[in-house]
Amino acid sequence: MEEDQVIAMPRIGDMAPEFKAVTTQGEINFPNDFRGNWVIFFSHPADFTPVCTSEFMTFASMEDKFAKANCKLVGLSVDGLHSHIAWLRTIKEKIEYKGMKNVEVKFPLIEDISMNVAKKYGMIQPQESTTTAVRAVFFIDPKGVIRSIIYYPLSLGRNFDELYRVLIALQTADEFGVATPADWRPGDDVIVPPAGSCGVAKERMENKNEDVKCYDWFFCTKKLDKETLEKKLLKK
Ligand code: BEZ
């Protein structure tokens, strides 16, 4: 592989790489302007394309839901600002899709014609496309740490319920000191303690705590009801 083809990929646990950029909502200094909030920073391949349009309409329709979970959205593509503005205006004025219409995208959409930001975040994946970003999703916590990363190819629109689920699961792990099992959704049992401290799990297995259920010494869950979770995580 040529030297200039080696693209650094930020990893889970890394500080989100810093950059300044022009967006549809003015200039931003990332991630510093967002400290104290969770951020979903995502890329899309191109303005005026169908999959991206369906995604932006869905994300914009869910913006308030993410805001309630203290999460801001920031988008990026390698298009320029005028293209972004024209595309978002078209979405608002002309597109009706799956019951969504008049959809206003209020979150910032970064212009990245140079691809500098996209390259910094490993959003350009040359075997998929050398000229556009793939559909990358970075979950960044209030301290600016990357907590989860999901990549999708150009042809595959994202599942926004899953993006919300990932956000809430990360926040749940932080707030309650637990892990979340396969297909977990708020209201389902959570795993105690997080992997790595099996001794505590063994003690739990011997206890008669009705909220705790142990499947074996290394695998215990407990109840965490949806109301408690929402009270802790969601703004009114
Ligand atoms: C789309 O958003 O529809 C799309 C963009 C780039 C390549 C393929 C599909």
Side-chain angles (χ1 to χ4, degrees):
M1 190 181 269
E2 297 288 321
E3 180 92 19
D4 63 3
Q5 280 186 295
V6 177
I7 295 172
M9 309 271 289
R11 291 162 297 191
I12 291 174
D14 288 352
M15 293 301 294
E18 294 181 3
F19 62 85
K20 290 193 172 118
V22 171
T23 84
T24 48
Q25 303 291 324
E27 288 187 20
I28 59 168
N29 183 4
F30 195 89
N32 293 333
D33 289 350
F34 298 86
R35 285 279 148 97
N37 292 275
W38 285 79
V39 183
I40 294 180
F41 176 37
F42 67 101
S43 55
H44 70 277
D47 299 344
F48 292 102
T49 53
V51 179
C52 302
T53 300
S54 69
E55 290 190 318
F56 262 68
M57 293 183 79
T58 308
F59 235 158
S61 302
M62 292 173 73
E63 191 174 3
D64 288 349
K65 187 171 173 174
F66 281 97
K68 268 193 172 175
N70 191 33
C71 180
K72 294 192 185 285
L73 309 175
V74 178
L76 172 147
S77 82
V78 303
D79 298 291
L81 187 62
H82 294 294
S83 166
H84 284 343
I85 291 168
W87 178 47
L88 299 187
R89 188 183 301 146
T90 302
I91 287 176
K92 180 168 176 350
E93 293 176 357
K94 294 196 179 151
I95 313 277
E96 185 173 347
Y97 173 71
K98 283 197 166 172
M100 296 179 280
K101 66 174 184 180
N102 242 321
V103 173
E104 194 170 348
V105 175
K106 297 184 193 137
F107 57 81
L109 173 51
I110 293 169
E111 73 153 11
D112 190 30
I113 302 171
S114 66
M115 297 195 194
N116 284 341
V117 179
K119 284 181 182 162
K120 234 179 193 182
Y121 275 79
M123 292 165 169
I124 305 295
Q125 305 212 347
Q127 302 305 325
E128 182 73 347
S129 171
T130 52
T131 54
T132 62
V134 296
R135 301 180 198 280
V137 188
F138 288 83
F139 296 81
I140 299 169
D141 75 13
K143 292 184 178 145
V145 177
I146 295 172
R147 298 291 299 280
S148 185
I149 306 171
I150 309 178
Y151 286 100
Y152 298 71
L154 302 186
S155 63
L156 176 59
R158 286 163 273 216
N159 180 322
F160 289 84
D161 289 336
E162 169 64 1
L163 302 188
Y164 184 75
R165 190 190 77 92
V166 170
L167 174 73
I168 297 299
L170 291 168
Q171 295 182 350
T172 299
D174 286 1
E175 286 293 337
F176 296 93
V178 296
T180 47
D183 294 332
W184 177 85
R185 297 208 160 257
D188 292 348
D189 292 357
V190 292
I191 290 177
V192 289
S197 28
C198 298
V200 183
K202 191 168 184 295
E203 274 170 29
R204 286 234 168 84
M205 213 174 161
E206 285 150 13
N207 287 342
K208 293 266 180 288
N209 182 343
E210 281 178 8
D211 278 351
V212 176
K213 177 173 177 169
C214 288
Y215 300 87
D216 205 331
W217 59 269
F218 60 91
F219 184 7
C220 297
T221 61
K222 75 169 180 183
K223 293 190 191 316
L224 178 55
D225 65 82
K226 197 170 175 183
E227 202 185 347
T228 307
L229 194 96
E230 288 185 350
K231 220 167 161 186
K232 189 84 181 170
L233 301 182
L234 304 185
K235 296 178 194 168
K236 292 257 156 48

